Structure formats: structure tokens, C-alpha cells
Amino acid sequence: MSSLKLEFPRLFAIVNLKAGKVADFGTKENGVWVWKIELRRQLFEWEVSLWDAFISILDLAAMGSGVNDALVVLRVLGVVRLRLGPRGAWRRVRLVPKCYVVVEIIFTNVGNPHALGQRPLTFPRQVVALCQAPFLLDDPNVGLLFPADAIASAKRYLSMTPGGLGAYSDSRGLPGIRKEVAEFIERRDGYSSDPELIFLTDGASKGVMQILNCIIRGQGDGVLVPVPQYPLYSATISLCGGSLVPYYLDESANWGLDVNNLRESVAQARFNGITVRAMVIINPGNPTGQCLSEANLREILNFCHQENLVLLGDEVYQQNIYQDERPFISARKVLMDMGQPINKEVQLVSFHTVSKGYWGECGQRGGYFEMTNIPPQTVDEIYKISSISLSPNVPAQIFMGLMVNPPKPGDISYEQYVRESKGILESLRRRARIMTDGFNSCKNVVCNFTEGAMYSFPQIRLPPKAIEAAKDAGKVPDVFYCLKLLEATGISTVPGSGFGQKEGVFHLRTTILPAEEDMPEIMSSFKKFNDEFMEQYEGVKL
């Protein structure tokens, strides 16, 4: 792409010049002529004269192209003091007639891979495209557009759906896909799995909500949840009328779990009149990114056996592993390995999804849960509850089938599938290291390495003056910090208080999902903001 280079800061703007004549430079993308303007000098604030000069240059570019309307997107990577509009949204400002400016937020606050540029895997999209438009299979030229294994796979899935993708399925999901999930679990764990105990769901979250709704009878029922925790659990427990019983992960031990802390949490809950009925583990962790060891899982399962607790294993990030020392191992495998009587008595519900890993298909809403040692009459009641919603999303069920039954060696699409998935995971591993090292280079910031999942959860050691300023502003201290970060850099993060944390300790959560080529500049921007923030509130020159 041709560039009009200006002597301005470490920002870049993309100028979309619409409804105009063909210009002498730039490229046409989706019917729109696009110019990339690189702004290369650091700015600390926009002065009126400089802003006017910038807009005048854009106007000249538009007029020179015979264009009537201009849209400017500023991607904020330098430290620029622009007051943004509604939090987490783009702000559209009318500056001069026919010219609009949009300040882009860098959304690192949600684990939404495709929204941050991760490309979909080719094979599953080909298969689902054919399933969504089965008339393509009758086209004599279909083999010119789709590989033979994708065509065969689409036909196989369509044979499982008598009414096609527009018809309801069994409330538990299509039997053929539940069988594929069971076969995947058997390959992963080395133990057979029963498709009748596998329910397909609209993302893992729906499954979690369904199971918690079955467990919680009222406010007197409690669920052990790790803190920091994914807010799905606190919100759902609250909606179901139950009580969250926190157990704290140890940040100094890389967010490890201490069974003695579990016992203390249960004892305190019982003292308060709460019956603890279940325990949640998130492995790998969200927001903390740690991977549970086999030994830790054994301790947890023994504890659940002793306390007669249902274990809920949130394992949606099992593909997202960024180190070799502690690979993912499922709670179900460890339970089966432990032998009788425990492997016949501990009740376990495990969750998985197509939203994470190298798939990242969040918008498809595909997931499942598998039940182990759940009494048959309880399974029947869960089936009844599932029937209220009639059917899980059928296209998402096919995505789940493709995730657990991907191309195999020798298939036409195998090498491309491996290349794409491996490329995503290797890049995520590098990004995890860039982000961890970047945070640890900042003043008053400490961050454990992201062993798995897709988040960093650095501790921000806020000076007393910053805490006082937050109080004066009516903000929680880490919320105050995150808003200042957003306003200064456009980087959108989540305050640690949204996940729970120990009193007087502050964090933020960010994903490791921004494009790898952007990561160094994002971390440089974060460091500049943070170190200037600390200098401001400590009153000490760096």
C-alpha cells in the first residue's frame, strides 16, 4: 500500500476515502480507496493548531482525489491525551464538514481471538459452508472450490442432520457428534467415554449455567470458586440464588492451589451456615494463566471425595499451553488413574468449547459438557432442563465435531490444518513471553508467566497517592488505573477487582491476543504510560 508519510507521532491512521474518483495512489479494498498515513513522532497531547494542520492535510488528500467524504481511523499506540467517549467504544467526532475521526480502542479486555485478527482455520469453515449451503454439493464444479475431504466431511455431517442445519436437533445434541466427542475424550484420556453422558451446548458458558442451576437449591448452598475467578461463576451463582465460597490462589507460588486453604474456606462456609455442594477449577486458569499439575489435581479430587463435592472442571483452554514443563492433563484422566473406589464415586462435570485454543470460534457458540459418576436419575433431570431450550445451535455442533475430529494424516487438508493451528499456537507462545517480559520491565508491576489460556494478570503496585486519587475520583484503585491507561493509550483492559483479589492488592487482566507484530509497540506504550503514572503519583523522577 502506498503511504503518505508525515512527521507526526508513533500513531498511524488509515484514511478511507469513499464515493470518490479513482485516485493516483492508495489501494482499493472492499470498494473503498484506502490511504495509510503514518504518524511517526511522539505526541503528548493534541494542540489545536497541530490538530487543525492534521485535518487540513486529510482534507487536501480528499480534495486531490475528488472525494466528498473521509473517515480517519487513529490507532492509538503512542501516549496521546485524547478524551474518549463511552468506555470500550469508538468515539466518532465531526471535525470539519465531510471528515470524521474515529479513535480505535485496542481491545485486550476479552478473550475474543478473531476480533483481534486471528484467522479462522480453513478446513472447518469449508465444511460448515457446504453444510450451510448444501446445494453447492450438487454443483459439478464444487471440487474446484473445495477439497475432497471437506466435501466428504460435509456430506457426513449432513447425513447426521435429517432436517439440515435449519432443523432442531436432540436437546442433548446430534448423536453422531456426541459420539465423536466421546471418541476424542477416549483418545485424550485413555479411558472410554459414554456419548449418552455428553451434552452439546451453546458454548461452555451455557453448560456451566445449566449445571450450577441444577446444583444450587437456594442461598444456603455454596460453590467453591477460585479467586481470582472468571466472573461467569460469581454471576451465575448469584443468579441461581446460591453463595460463592472463595478459595484464594497463591500468586507467589505462580497462582498455585493450597488444599489447606480449601479446607479453611469450607470450614468458614459451614460456620456461616452454608452447605458447600460443589467446587470449580479453571485449568488452565482464567485470569491467572496457570496450569494445574497432576499432583495438584489428585489433591483436589481427594478433597472432593472427602467432602462429597461435585467437581466442575472448566477446561476450555486445554489447547492453549505455552510451556513444556506442565502440559494440560484433564481432571477426568487423573480421576480414572486413581482407581477404585474414588474413580467410581467422585462426581465430575467437565466443560470444553470451540471458542478458545487455536480455533477461537467465539461467535459460533459451540461447547459440551461430559458427566462422570452422575446418578442416572440426575442425568435424566438435566436432560429435561436441556429440553426447555429445545436444541443447541446446530452449526456450532458441527464445529465441535470438526474440532474433536479434525483432518488426519494422509487427508488432503491435513498439512494445511496442522500448519495453520501450529502457527497460531507458536505465535501465542511468543506473545505470552513478550507480554510477561514487558510487564516485568515496568515500574511497580509484577507478572507471572502465562503458562496457558490467553491472559496475563499482572499485579500493579499502586502508590498511596494513586490510591488516594482514586478515592477522590470515586473509583476503585485498579479501575482508576485502567481508565487512565485507556484514556492515555487506547488499551482496554479489565481491572483485577472484576475477578476478585486479596484486600489491598491490585491487578489488571489483558489478553495476549493482539497481533504479534503489534505486541512490542503495545507493550512499549503500556510501559511509557505506567512509568509516567508511577512517577506522577510517587513524586520521584525515574
Side-chain angles (χ1 to χ4, degrees):
M1 180 186 297
S2 300
S3 294
L4 172 62
K5 295 190 176 180
L6 310 174
E7 290 302 321
F8 287 124
R10 291 185 313 177
L11 305 174
F12 69 83
I14 301 173
V15 185
N16 292 342
L17 303 177
K18 302 185 294 185
K21 299 176 182 177
V22 176
D24 295 329
F25 56 94
T27 58
K28 199 167 188 179
E29 298 179 6
N30 299 321
V32 175
W33 280 96
V34 178
W35 284 260
K36 181 174 179 180
I37 296 180
E38 298 178 355
L39 307 178
R40 298 184 299 172
R41 201 191 81 224
Q42 180 66 55
L43 274 183
F44 293 98
E45 61 184 279
W46 285 101
E47 298 177 0
V48 174
S49 59
L50 182 58
W51 184 260
D52 287 346
F54 176 62
I55 295 305
S56 295
I57 291 167
L58 297 176
D59 281 343
L60 287 171
M63 287 188 297
S65 306
V67 175
N68 297 318
D69 201 13
L71 178 69
V72 184
V73 179
L74 297 182
R75 186 174 188 189
V76 182
L77 290 177
V79 178
V80 178
R81 296 193 175 104
L82 293 173
R83 179 65 60 179
L84 301 177
R87 305 299 180 197
W90 287 16
R91 172 180 170 232
R92 189 170 299 230
V93 185
R94 187 70 178 261
L95 292 167
V96 295
K98 302 297 182 183
C99 187
Y100 296 82
V101 170
V102 177
V103 178
E104 184 186 353
I105 308 301
I106 303 169
F107 289 100
T108 69
N109 57 318
V110 180
N112 192 8
H114 291 190
L116 286 166
Q118 180 174 310
R119 294 178 64 83
L121 298 174
T122 302
F123 181 78
R125 288 297 185 98
Q126 290 173 327
V127 175
V128 174
L130 288 167
C131 290
Q132 289 279 22
F135 53 83
L136 293 175
L137 293 168
D138 298 325
D139 191 302
N141 295 317
V142 66
L144 301 177
L145 296 173
F146 295 90
D149 52 355
I151 294 171
S153 185
K155 289 179 178 179
R156 183 167 56 83
Y157 283 115
L158 286 170
S159 72
M160 299 179 188
T161 57
L165 273 62
Y168 291 132
S169 74
D170 185 297
S171 298
R172 298 166 296 180
L174 294 164
I177 294 177
R178 288 189 283 122
K179 182 174 182 290
E180 287 185 314
V181 173
E183 290 167 351
F184 157 77
I185 292 169
E186 181 173 355
R187 290 194 305 272
R188 184 194 67 189
D189 296 342
Y191 296 95
S192 63
S193 174
D194 184 353
E196 296 299 302
L197 300 176
I198 294 167
F199 284 39
L200 305 182
T201 55
D202 294 338
S205 298
K206 280 293 179 70
V208 169
M209 295 171 73
Q210 188 173 331
I211 295 299
L212 285 173
N213 190 41
C214 294
I215 290 170
I216 296 169
R217 300 166 298 186
Q219 193 171 0
D221 285 343
V223 179
L224 280 164
V225 177
V227 176
Q229 57 96 26
Y230 177 41
L232 165 67
Y233 293 97
S234 54
T236 304
I237 291 167
S238 179
L239 281 171
C240 293
S243 297
L244 186 147
V245 179
Y247 66 92
Y248 287 90
L249 303 178
D250 185 356
E251 186 171 11
S252 65
N254 202 29
W255 299 110
L257 185 156
D258 185 348
V259 174
N260 291 325
N261 180 257
L262 288 176
R263 294 194 177 96
E264 291 172 4
S265 295
V266 170
Q268 183 62 50
R270 287 174 178 161
F271 179 79
N272 294 331
I274 295 171
T275 301
V276 181
R277 289 173 56 81
M279 175 180 173
V280 173
I281 58 171
I282 306 175
N283 181 37
N286 176 10
T288 49
Q290 88 288 0
C291 296
L292 292 174
S293 66
E294 181 176 352
N296 227 174
L297 286 166
R298 284 177 176 272
E299 289 181 308
I300 291 165
L301 289 161
N302 275 319
F303 175 79
C304 289
H305 188 236
Q306 294 162 9
E307 301 294 340
N308 194 28
L309 304 178
V310 180
L311 181 61
L312 308 185
D314 183 334
E315 299 174 339
V316 301
Y317 297 102
Q318 60 188 263
Q319 291 178 341
N320 296 96
I321 305 298
Y322 312 126
Q323 37 72 43
D324 301 320
E325 294 75 22
R326 197 174 294 179
F328 170 78
I329 182 170
S330 73
R332 182 179 182 276
K333 174 173 172 51
V334 175
L335 176 62
M336 294 297 104
D337 285 348
M338 292 174 74
Q340 296 190 34
I342 191 169
N343 69 355
K344 298 294 185 183
E345 295 176 357
V346 170
Q347 297 183 23
L348 169 67
V349 184
S350 305
F351 304 89
H352 198 10
T353 182
V354 301
S355 298
K356 309 303 178 184
Y358 45 81
W359 281 63
E361 294 279 6
C362 299
Q364 308 295 348
R365 310 311 302 139
Y368 76 76
F369 63 82
E370 182 202 24
M371 297 170 283
T372 303
N373 296 328
I374 304 297
Q377 61 271 30
T378 303
V379 174
D380 290 342
E381 293 302 315
I382 293 171
Y383 190 1
K384 287 181 185 178
I385 293 171
S386 296
S387 299
I388 295 171
S389 300
L390 296 177
S391 165
N393 175 352
V394 175
Q397 295 182 51
I398 295 175
F399 271 102
M400 177 55 71
L402 290 162
M403 186 183 80
V404 298
N405 187 19
K408 298 175 177 59
D411 291 348
I412 296 170
S413 299
Y414 175 75
E415 289 187 5
Q416 181 182 20
Y417 180 85
V418 170
R419 184 172 63 254
E420 291 175 347
S421 56
K422 185 178 180 181
I424 291 168
L425 282 179
E426 288 178 347
S427 177
L428 285 169
R429 181 182 282 228
R430 292 190 295 269
R431 282 178 267 174
R433 176 53 64 191
I434 291 169
M435 189 159 274
T436 303
D437 291 347
F439 283 132
N440 285 324
S441 74
C442 296
K443 184 175 178 63
N444 294 347
V445 179
V446 178
C447 185
N448 285 318
F449 177 63
T450 301
E451 294 181 341
M454 50 181 62
Y455 311 99
S456 284
F457 197 62
Q459 182 183 146
I460 313 296
R461 295 173 176 171
L462 296 173
K465 288 182 180 178
I467 296 172
E468 189 63 32
K471 182 179 178 182
D472 292 344
K475 306 291 185 190
V476 176
D478 54 7
V479 173
F480 178 77
Y481 178 92
C482 288
L483 286 174
K484 292 290 187 183
L485 172 65
L486 174 64
E487 292 171 359
T489 68
I491 301 172
S492 176
T493 58
V494 185
S497 50
F499 302 93
Q501 53 195 353
K502 291 182 177 179
E503 187 70 28
V505 180
F506 306 106
H507 299 82
L508 63 80
R509 190 195 77 168
T510 176
T511 71
I512 62 170
L513 296 175
E516 185 175 351
E517 61 268 23
D518 294 338
M519 197 69 88
E521 194 155 10
I522 290 171
M523 295 312 299
S524 174
S525 180
F526 177 90
K527 178 177 174 60
K528 184 169 184 60
F529 159 78
N530 176 83
D531 292 356
E532 288 180 355
F533 178 96
M534 296 301 171
E535 180 182 341
Q536 177 185 353
Y537 288 103
E538 286 183 341
V540 177
K541 273 285 185 184
L542 299 177

